[in-house]
Amino acid sequence: MAKLRHIALSVPDPEKAADFYCDAFDMKRVGKTDSPLARGCYVSDGVITLALLDYKTDEWAGYVEGEDERGKDWVGIHHIGFWVDDIDETEAKIEKRSEEHTSELQSPD
């Protein structure tokens, strides 16, 4: 069974965001990053980790011109991560379901 383990939030100030989650929800700081991708802090409740990330470029933030608003200055949920028992099996299930879901969402002409 898959388990939600990670939520990444795009935030302008990871340190202040970490302070908020630690103060408001008794989360604990469990790491930091300063990579070419982003600078950030990681906080956890002991099960799920929040990655509080300030992306450095639009490219690394996942922005695709004309498709969405997620540039480096966008604030909000960026991605989530699951722990799975079998990554190949899960990937196949995701691909199959994504194809089905995409066709379900397409409107009739």
Side-chain angles (χ1 to χ4, degrees), residues 62-68:
Y63 175 76
V64 178
E65 189 169 341
E67 288 188 19
D68 62 29

Side-chain angles (χ1 to χ4, degrees), residues 45-60:
D45 65 358
V47 177
I48 296 176
T49 299
L50 288 180
L52 306 164
L53 302 170
D54 180 19
Y55 286 92
K56 294 181 178 180
T57 69
D58 286 340
E59 176 186 4
W60 287 111

Side-chain angles (χ1 to χ4, degrees), residues 10-83:
S10 181
V11 299
D13 189 330
E15 292 291 338
K16 283 185 181 178
D19 288 343
F20 169 79
Y21 285 100
C22 290
D23 292 344
F25 300 108
D26 297 322
M27 298 182 90
K28 305 291 182 219
R29 289 175 185 260
V30 295
K32 292 179 86 166
T33 188
D34 192 1
S35 71
L37 170 71
R39 68 182 182 91
C41 295
Y42 300 94
V43 297
S44 179
D45 65 358
V47 177
I48 296 176
T49 299
L50 288 180
L52 306 164
L53 302 170
D54 180 19
Y55 286 92
K56 294 181 178 180
T57 69
D58 286 340
E59 176 186 4
W60 287 111
Y63 175 76
V64 178
E65 189 169 341
E67 288 188 19
D68 62 29
E69 70 280 3
R70 284 187 322 164
K72 69 180 183 67
D73 297 322
W74 183 76
V75 174
I77 294 177
H78 189 270
H79 65 272
I80 61 174
F82 287 84
W83 184 267

